Amino acid sequence: MSDTQVWTPSEHELARRSVRRRQRVRSTVIATVMTVAVLGLVVAGLLSSPGWPRVKEYFFSPEAARESWRAVLEAMWLNVRLFVLCEIGILALGLLIAVARTTRSAWLAPVRVVAVVYTDVVRGIPTILLITMFGFGIPALQLQGLTNDRVVWAGVALVVSYSAYVSEVFRSGIESVHPSQVASARALGLSEGRILRHVVVPQAVRRIVPPLLNDFVSLQKDTALVSVLGVLDGVFWATNYANYNFNYTPMVVVAIYFIVLTVPLARLTDHLQKRVVERERAGAR
């Protein structure tokens, strides 16, 4: 006979598991029924409203959707490229600003002041105004050596706007690292730069991934603001179609494309946030 014994749940434990399983099934069924009922009432209310035929004609026209979906999809690639390129610039500039704000060196006091003023001023300006000022204002200066491409300046405006927000996310992560970590690194003889690089920043980044992803969900949507410059992105193409054909269905198509892009990122954010909470709870026990 083996010395090791295989654990088997008792009858009471099996009964408790059975009760919990029935409760989960019951909760799932109730939630599903209630969700279907509420959505059914909303849809029924919309379909029975007096103006629904007109709304259907101007916003949900199958013919307009078939005519526009491919062209809108091609134009949306500009939004995707802007998102990816701006995200890289925002991460780099945001981290640089956060490090400048958290440094305690007396020699870098002017840098801290500039970083504080930058974040305060930029966060106070709506993104659409920054895009307009950069996209129209800088090319109007006719500066030698600078491009007049409005797409480029729209991307710069997005980087400037979002780096101010992301820098505060980075700063909160850096300041959340316990001082004992820094003290231990100093005791090991690490320089301030190596402490920041190898101890503080890696821990800070792990803690701020969910809020960072939330900012990037917003960034993906705000790439649509470049349409105010006349840039041929998805929103601008849909607006042109609506102006010439008096039908707004392509705007609904654009909205669906943005949903397809942002929802997976939002779900990833929720998943990572849940993992952070579970890890903190496990550490507390």
Side-chain angles (χ1 to χ4, degrees):
M1 183 175 179
S2 175
D3 294 335
T4 60
Q5 296 181 352
V6 179
W7 178 82
T8 56
S10 65
E11 293 183 2
H12 293 292
E13 176 62 22
L14 292 174
R16 284 194 292 267
R17 292 181 181 181
S18 177
V19 170
R20 287 195 293 265
R21 185 164 50 251
R22 288 197 299 270
Q23 289 176 341
R24 286 196 298 269
V25 171
R26 180 172 177 271
S27 298
T28 302
V29 171
I30 292 175
T32 303
V33 171
M34 292 299 297
T35 301
V36 171
V38 171
L39 291 178
L41 290 173
V42 172
V43 172
L46 289 175
L47 297 180
S48 61
S49 61
W52 169 248
R54 182 175 293 272
V55 170
K56 180 181 178 182
E57 177 184 358
Y58 287 111
F59 287 90
F60 300 100
S61 169
E63 294 79 11
R66 282 194 298 268
E67 290 177 1
S68 62
W69 74 269
R70 187 179 296 277
V72 171
L73 180 61
E74 292 174 357
M76 279 288 296
W77 279 114
L78 176 62
N79 298 91
V80 175
R81 293 197 302 270
L82 265 177
F83 168 70
V84 174
L85 294 175
C86 290
E87 181 177 350
I88 297 172
I90 289 166
L91 285 173
L93 183 57
L95 180 58
L96 184 63
I97 296 170
V99 171
R101 289 201 62 177
T102 55
T103 182
R104 294 293 177 264
S105 172
W107 294 98
L108 296 177
V111 177
R112 286 198 301 273
V113 172
V114 170
V116 171
V117 172
Y118 177 90
T119 54
D120 289 346
V121 171
V122 171
R123 285 189 300 168
I125 304 175
T127 303
I128 191 171
L129 294 184
L130 282 175
I131 291 175
T132 303
M133 289 188 291
F134 275 76
F136 291 130
I138 295 181
L141 295 174
Q142 298 181 354
L143 299 175
Q144 296 296 322
L146 292 181
T147 180
N148 291 330
D149 191 338
R150 286 171 293 178
V151 176
V152 173
W153 291 115
V156 172
L158 287 172
V159 171
V160 169
S161 178
Y162 272 85
S163 63
Y165 296 97
V166 169
S167 69
E168 290 300 279
V169 176
F170 273 120
R171 187 166 71 95
S172 66
I174 291 172
E175 293 181 348
S176 70
V177 177
H178 199 275
S180 62
Q181 299 284 324
V182 178
S184 299
R186 287 200 183 104
L188 293 174
L190 295 180
S191 64
E192 293 297 326
R194 295 183 67 184
I195 291 173
L196 193 65
R197 177 183 175 187
H198 297 292
V199 178
V200 177
V201 172
Q203 294 186 62
V205 169
R206 283 197 298 269
R207 298 177 182 183
I208 63 173
V209 168
L212 270 182
L213 289 177
N214 276 324
D215 282 336
F216 289 139
V217 170
S218 298
L219 172 64
Q220 176 64 75
K221 295 182 296 181
D222 279 351
T223 58
L225 296 176
V226 303
S227 61
V228 302
L229 302 179
V231 174
L232 188 59
D233 73 325
V235 175
F236 187 82
W237 197 98
T239 303
N240 271 353
Y241 184 98
N243 291 337
Y244 283 103
N245 297 278
F246 303 102
N247 191 288
Y248 300 95
T249 301
M251 293 187 175
V252 178
V253 174
V254 172
I256 293 173
Y257 284 141
F258 273 110
I259 290 172
V260 171
L261 289 172
T262 56
V263 166
L265 189 56
R267 296 285 70 77
L268 176 61
T269 302
D270 291 342
H271 172 70
L272 293 176
Q273 184 65 52
K274 183 179 179 181
R275 287 185 57 186
V276 170
V277 172
E278 290 176 350
R279 188 159 54 242
E280 290 177 350
R281 288 176 178 173
R285 287 197 290 265

